Amino acid sequence: MSEKVSDDVRQKNRKAFDLFGKHLSKQQIRFLAAGHLDILESERKGAGFIDRTSGKQFIDAFSSAGSFNVGRRNSQVIDGLSGLHDTDMGSHCLLTSSKVELATRLAAISPGDLKRVVLTGSGADSIECALKLALGATGRTDIIAMVNAYHGHSGYSLSAGGKDYYKELFEPLKPGFSFVPFGDLEAARKAASRNTAALILEPVQGEGGIHVGSDEYLRGLRALCDELGIMLIFDEIQTGFGRTGRLFYSEYSGVVPDIMTLAKSLSGGVYPNGAIVYRDIEVLTKFVDAHPDFHESFGGGSDIGCTISCRVIDFLFENRVWENAAKRGETFRRGLDDLMKSYPKIIKEIRGKGLMLGVEYIHEFMGVLMADNLAKEGVFAAYSGNAPQVMRFMVPITASDREIDDILVKIKKAVKGMGLYLALMLPLAKISFFKKILNNVNVLIVVNNFLRKLHLA
Amino acid sequence: MNKTAQKNNGDRDKLLRDAAGVFSKGYVAKMRAEGLDIIEAGGSGPRLFDSSGNEYIDCFTSAATFNLGRGRDDLADALWQAARITDQGNFIAISEEKALLAEKLAAFMPGKLECALFTVVRGEAMDAACKLARGYTGRPGIVTVDGGWYGHTGFSLSMSGTEDRNLFGPGIPEIQMVTFGDIESARKAVSSETAAVVLETIQAENGCRYAENEYYRQLRDLCDRSGAMLIVDESQTGFGRTGKRFSFEYFGFEPDIAVLGEAITGGMFPMSAISFTRTLKSFFDHHPLIHLCTFGGHDVGCMVAVKALELYEKERPWENAKRRGAVLKAVLHKIAAEHKYLIHDVWGEGLLLSIILKDEKKAQRFCVEAKNCGMICTRGRVDRKSVIVRPVLTLSNNDVQDMEECFRKILSAF
């Protein structure tokens, strides 16, 4: 703990941790502490925040999985909350001018004939809405989703999830889902039939480890869906609003999905909001006309939320933020590629597009160690609980060149810092028994927390 | 009609046309048919405003969200102050805002409901509750009652008593529906494979029906004996609406999990939650980050919710809900007796009441006439013959008189 932190603050921090452990989850603290991620975010601004437990400035390389595309606490967005009078969320079944304005603007900026909108409350809620629209409109019962996919944790969105870890304790979930490997067009073709209502995927898999859908793959899926009357759903909750260097990732391939799901950055990181945008085609519009309230979302598409989302869109367009993501993304990518060349025993592969980048390490245990080392350097980057070998780098896409250079220097230092651990662990990792133990996240949590305690003592 | 009014109506018509284009024609047609074809423009106290400058008594309150009154400047100020110092935060991180709200909520909740998980839409909160019960017990079965309505996400929809749950193919499996109020029917369904028994104490969307006190206590007993978790959806009945903080207090029992709706922020921020016992929390200690939600436990929202809970504690709106609710119910019964050809009955408790019309068409017309008379209300989603009266809980005596006058005007238009 740094000397910069006063006793008062230290006491406040301790209280926050105690209460969090008492009322929410103790183990979550231990889980995060293992990677030095047990920070408290304060003074959030632009590309980062100050950790109140250490007093250290952090770059936010997670961005709540891509929620801060306008930067943290963007004043142009936040100003929409100043001086509110006689205002609240509004009634979810009544229209307001801001709801109509946001929907109209989403329709205007979405690719192709994605011209119809349903407003929702969150990413998972958008997925629920999209799946229900496809199922209801086609009258079919099957859905194809991707292995390792991540779409949320509510009932149907979880059913579409491609990781057993999140699902197995809550089964049985909605029937009719089949899972095919991401990027494998043939597998999708084999799974598809005239009873398939929808094929859903993140065009760049986020939580699954930053796997980029190629233009050819996405076009192939589009053709397959056209052939069999399947609704193609792109989950652009993480990729949308400029993250990958275009406003929406689908623009790279020119493939227009039948339904696109949105959330995260639509909220500006300030006030929750979500939406689906769907094509103006009869199969979909007919269903919605007949069942206009097929998906009601209390708190979603609220009056205040829509005002804020309009401001987010203003900011993105005024600053053409996606161009920044493309440019800075290239710099970041080049830096990571160079690093991989220098450390081939640590880094296996760099993947991604724009400022949605992933680093895959050689061994699973390296993810936790890297999170730890990065945190020491002032970079908040998360490893995934069930794919800890891949680290996502998703800094706010408003980041400047200097901030990208800075984070690259820090990542380099963190990789260098791995040396000592690796001298010990790499020989062990060659023995399959030890490799198994090392790659067990639960073991790492215990070991790392123990090491931290020794270090602090 | 003066020029300003004409212009405002012109704006309204244009917005409705735009909405038909970008949302759906069916949506706008439905709004017209149900008396909801206004453009909302904020609100204050018991009333909401439209873009033409008209005021309406809000008897919808976004499905029992605005318990503390519409458009409260103190909550708006809390929102602005929160946004100046914090933001959504990284959802995986430890957060002081979340911790402080969790502490505040634990103190606010009755009995042993000391732990929490924060979510966004109320459907998701119910989904999380069912997942927690399945995860904790290791059992798959969910027993719910007929006539309920919990939201539009997977588990919620699969348990709902509305026809629309059949539009999307098979729902979540292992859900069994029993007769509400019939303990024998529950006894037959609940077994050692049952993870949870799920219900609303008062079925807001089903004519505000409720069972005898004894029924809830028997359900509690049944759950205790079988090891099933008792989940109560308080998204419409909670935060004072029935004359108690939570309706399970009114009926004299305690659930293992309570589902809380957007009233947790007084309707200033989209947030819902589940509140549960320490025993159940052990599941989240063994499986941290197992139910993730980017906007759930949003740090700005947590600060707004803390402010709302302070206001609840200070104003104790449940006391007013009890008092005004009793008066309003008596008024409605009187009116019902005078209009027996239209009104079948009046059900409900506190400020969660339902006027049961003779048929669905009459209920629909009631809502349309209500709009014309300066009141916004909706029909029950399950019982389409019912019109739900769920105003803000901060009603004054004058407001109740205004409502009575309004109801009389509505009925005289038939």
Side-chain angles (χ1 to χ4, degrees):
Chain A
M1 226 177 245
S2 159
E3 285 161 15
K4 277 188 249 174
V5 181
S6 71
D7 282 347
D8 276 3
V9 171
R10 215 171 283 202
Q11 215 172 340
K12 246 174 94 179
N13 294 346
R14 192 163 307 134
K15 188 184 166 200
F17 277 84
D18 286 349
L19 290 175
F20 195 95
K22 183 177 172 195
H23 299 292
L24 298 158
S25 168
K26 216 173 246 173
Q27 185 64 4
Q28 187 174 340
I29 299 174
R30 290 174 56 75
F31 180 85
L32 292 165
H36 256 111
L37 297 173
D38 52 338
I39 45 100
L40 286 171
E41 302 174 84
S42 70
E43 297 181 46
R44 307 159 186 194
K45 192 73 200 159
F49 57 86
I50 290 176
D51 167 28
R52 225 177 63 190
T53 69
S54 63
K56 202 186 288 173
Q57 176 73 43
F58 265 73
I59 296 175
D60 184 0
F62 184 56
S63 292
S64 218
S67 299
F68 300 122
N69 287 6
V70 296
R72 299 199 67 166
R73 289 190 44 257
N74 180 312
S75 53
Q76 193 176 322
V77 174
I78 293 172
D79 279 352
L81 298 175
S82 120
L84 295 179
H85 172 59
D86 285 352
T87 303
D88 49 34
M89 289 190 333
S91 314
H92 92 268
C93 70
L94 295 178
L95 286 171
T96 67
S97 57
S98 72
K99 292 181 196 182
V100 179
E101 188 189 346
L102 175 62
T104 306
R105 296 187 67 180
L106 284 174
I109 64 174
S110 295
D113 58 350
L114 290 165
K115 295 291 169 219
R116 301 290 195 115
V117 176
V118 181
L119 298 173
T120 69
S122 68
D125 199 28
S126 292
I127 298 292
E128 297 272 336
C129 181
L131 294 174
K132 284 163 65 183
L133 175 55
L135 290 162
T138 60
R140 303 175 180 184
T141 53
D142 293 349
I143 288 169
I144 299 172
M146 299 292 144
V147 174
N148 276 337
Y150 180 92
H151 297 292
H153 289 257
S154 58
Y156 290 174
S157 66
L158 183 63
S159 307
K163 285 188 171 180
D164 290 342
Y165 166 77
Y166 287 128
K167 295 194 289 188
E168 57 199 7
L169 295 164
F170 311 115
E171 283 170 339
L173 296 170
K174 185 169 170 52
F177 283 86
S178 60
F179 295 87
V180 298
F182 184 87
D184 184 344
L185 185 58
E186 240 353 89
R189 205 186 297 275
K190 273 186 198 146
S193 77
R194 292 212 174 264
N195 202 28
T196 308
L199 192 150
I200 181 168
L201 75 159
E202 307 148 272
V204 180
Q205 268 196 350
E207 164 96 8
I210 313 289
H211 294 282
V212 182
S214 70
D215 293 352
E216 195 192 355
Y217 176 56
L218 298 179
R219 285 180 198 136
L221 291 179
R222 179 69 274 178
L224 173 65
C225 289
D226 285 342
E227 190 188 319
L228 294 171
I230 298 168
M231 296 298 114
L232 180 61
I233 304 174
F234 279 0
D235 176 346
E236 293 246 20
I237 293 166
Q238 290 199 24
T239 49
F241 299 109
R243 168 66 48 193
T244 67
R246 293 285 181 95
L247 190 59
F248 300 105
Y249 181 74
S250 64
E251 292 173 25
Y252 280 110
S253 60
V255 169
V256 178
D258 297 298
I259 307 171
M260 172 167 74
T261 62
L262 302 169
K264 290 204 200 289
S265 273
L266 180 61
S267 77
V270 175
Y271 200 94
N273 213 356
I276 69 158
V277 190
Y278 61 95
R279 287 178 67 202
D280 196 357
I281 51 176
E282 202 190 345
V283 60
L284 297 176
T285 55
K286 209 171 145 189
F287 176 78
V288 180
D289 275 335
H291 307 280
D293 44 10
F294 77 97
H295 189 81
E296 289 179 289
S297 176
F298 298 83
S302 64
D303 190 26
I304 297 176
C306 290
T307 304
I308 291 297
S309 294
C310 285
R311 280 176 174 254
V312 168
I313 293 172
D314 282 342
F315 182 88
L316 292 172
F317 274 79
E318 280 163 22
N319 298 281
R320 300 181 69 81
V321 175
W322 56 91
E323 290 177 0
N324 192 59
K327 255 188 250 158
R328 309 288 171 243
E330 263 176 48
T331 313
F332 203 155
R333 175 74 189 244
R334 264 200 310 274
L336 290 175
D337 281 338
D338 289 347
L339 201 61
M340 182 174 73
K341 277 179 207 145
S342 309
Y343 295 93
K345 282 187 180 166
I346 297 178
I347 299 173
K348 187 177 171 187
E349 195 180 10
I350 310 290
R351 297 188 291 267
K353 197 87 182 167
L355 280 172
M356 187 168 181
L357 295 167
V359 174
E360 180 160 354
Y361 306 113
I362 301 277
H363 294 288
E364 283 187 15
F365 66 83
M366 289 173 169
V368 184
L369 294 177
M370 268 302 286
D372 193 43
N373 278 358
L374 284 167
K376 283 178 198 155
E377 296 299 330
V379 178
F380 184 79
Y383 59 96
S384 159
N386 49 339
Q389 76 279 19
V390 183
M391 189 160 280
R392 271 182 283 179
F393 288 100
M394 296 174 76
V395 294
I397 61 175
T398 47
S400 65
D401 244 346
R402 228 182 60 198
E403 283 164 326
I404 300 297
D405 288 344
D406 185 32
I407 191 173
L408 280 168
V409 168
K410 287 173 169 167
I411 294 171
K412 202 169 178 178
K413 272 193 197 164
V415 174
K416 252 188 183 167
M418 293 274 282
L420 186 70
Y421 286 112
L422 294 180
L424 175 73
M425 288 181 172
L426 280 181
L428 283 179
K430 284 184 182 147
I431 306 162
S432 81
F433 170 72
F434 283 109
K435 188 176 167 182
K436 230 179 183 174
I437 291 180
L438 285 173
N439 283 339
N440 183 324
V441 175
N442 290 325
V443 172
L444 278 177
I445 288 171
V446 175
V447 172
N448 268 30
N449 278 317
F450 178 69
L451 289 175
R452 265 192 81 179
K453 266 187 196 151
L454 284 182
H455 175 68
L456 288 174
Chain B
M1 197 184 281
N2 66 32
K3 272 190 181 165
T4 319
Q6 272 175 4
K7 182 187 170 296
N8 285 336
N9 279 342
D11 288 351
R12 186 197 72 152
D13 292 342
K14 182 182 179 304
L15 272 166
L16 287 172
R17 272 199 309 278
D18 290 350
V22 73
F23 294 121
S24 80
K25 276 184 213 140
Y27 179 66
V28 173
K30 194 184 165 199
M31 297 190 85
R32 288 189 200 279
E34 299 287 334
L36 299 171
D37 51 333
I38 62 163
I39 306 299
E40 192 181 25
S44 178
R47 289 174 174 78
L48 66 87
F49 312 139
D50 74 5
S51 57
S52 308
N54 301 308
E55 294 188 5
Y56 305 83
I57 297 172
D58 186 1
C59 280
F60 173 53
T61 54
S62 211
T65 292
F66 300 111
N67 288 10
L68 292 166
R70 294 299 310 263
R72 284 191 66 141
D73 289 354
D74 43 9
L75 284 173
D77 191 51
L79 170 63
W80 167 236
Q81 296 304 335
R84 288 177 66 189
I85 55 171
T86 193
D87 63 8
Q88 171 193 312
N90 273 293
F91 64 85
I92 57 166
I94 296 147
S95 120
E96 182 177 48
E97 291 85 344
K98 260 189 206 132
L100 291 176
L101 173 60
E103 181 194 32
K104 189 102 192 154
L105 186 64
F108 186 81
M109 295 303 295
K112 292 182 183 160
L113 300 168
E114 291 172 44
C115 302
L117 175 78
F118 300 112
T119 48
V120 188
V121 296
R122 58 179 69 177
E124 186 209 347
M126 178 53 87
D127 286 17
C130 293
K131 284 172 64 186
L132 175 55
R134 276 188 175 176
Y136 175 77
T137 60
R139 304 169 177 186
I142 292 171
V143 174
T144 188
V145 296
D146 56 3
W149 197 88
Y150 311 99
H152 265 163
T153 54
F155 282 87
S156 306
L157 180 68
S158 305
M159 296 189 296
S160 286
T162 47
E163 288 302 313
D164 64 357
R165 76 169 188 274
N166 300 318
L167 286 173
F168 316 105
I172 302 280
E174 302 276 349
I175 291 173
Q176 200 179 340
M177 215 174 265
V178 300
T179 310
F180 183 44
D182 176 4
I183 192 66
E184 280 317 311
S185 145
R187 279 189 184 128
K188 272 183 210 148
V190 173
S191 73
S192 59
E193 282 302 292
T194 307
V197 174
V198 182
L199 80 164
E200 304 153 284
T201 51
I202 300 178
Q203 295 186 326
E205 304 292 336
N206 190 26
C208 292
R209 286 167 172 84
Y210 57 89
E212 300 288 327
N213 287 23
E214 190 54 22
Y215 174 69
Y216 303 96
R217 286 195 282 258
Q218 285 169 330
L219 275 185
R220 174 72 275 175
D221 187 47
L222 182 60
C223 287
D224 286 341
R225 279 189 285 116
S226 64
M229 298 297 116
L230 184 54
I231 300 175
V232 169
D233 185 345
E234 290 273 358
S235 58
Q236 301 219 43
T237 48
F239 295 98
R241 183 148 296 275
T242 65
K244 290 272 189 183
R245 280 175 198 234
F246 293 94
S247 70
F248 57 79
E249 294 175 284
Y250 177 89
F251 293 103
F253 73 104
E254 196 174 310
D256 299 290
I257 308 175
V259 174
L260 309 178
E262 297 78 356
I264 193 173
T265 66
M268 194 50 73
F269 198 92
M271 181 184 275
S272 60
I274 57 173
S275 172
F276 46 89
T277 60
R278 284 173 102 153
T279 313
L280 273 161
K281 182 221 174 210
S282 64
F283 177 75
F284 290 123
D285 279 331
H286 284 110
H287 307 280
L289 300 167
I290 192 82
H291 184 96
L292 301 171
C293 179
T294 302
F295 298 150
H298 195 294
D299 289 343
V300 174
C302 287
M303 290 182 73
V304 175
V306 164
K307 176 69 185 178
L309 289 179
E310 278 169 21
L311 292 172
Y312 279 113
E313 294 279 12
K314 196 172 140 206
E315 298 177 11
R316 304 174 69 80
W318 42 89
E319 290 171 1
N320 199 51
K322 190 177 175 184
R323 213 168 32 234
R324 308 279 177 232
V327 176
L328 190 58
K329 196 174 175 183
V331 164
L332 288 174
H333 271 300
K334 201 169 105 197
I335 292 175
E338 292 161 14
H339 298 82
K340 277 190 179 150
Y341 58 101
L342 285 173
I343 301 174
H344 171 67
D345 208 343
V346 175
W347 293 332
E349 205 46 60
L351 285 172
L352 186 60
L353 301 167
S354 256
I355 304 168
I356 317 296
L357 279 294
K358 289 281 181 186
D359 60 51
E360 291 189 11
K361 276 212 164 130
K362 288 191 177 70
Q364 188 175 17
R365 180 149 175 225
F366 187 100
C367 294
V368 173
E369 294 300 345
K371 184 202 78 175
N372 297 333
C373 297
M375 179 183 275
I376 294 295
C377 48
T378 60
R379 291 194 285 161
R381 286 179 180 78
V382 181
D383 183 348
R384 305 296 282 159
K385 300 191 302 301
S386 68
V387 172
I388 313 171
V389 180
R390 45 190 159 183
V392 305
L393 307 187
T394 50
L395 292 180
S396 69
N397 202 22
N398 277 347
D399 295 330
V400 176
Q401 282 170 14
D402 289 350
M403 287 172 79
E404 177 174 1
E405 199 181 313
C406 205
F407 287 128
R408 290 191 184 282
K409 260 202 254 171
I410 295 165
L411 291 165
S412 69
F414 270 82

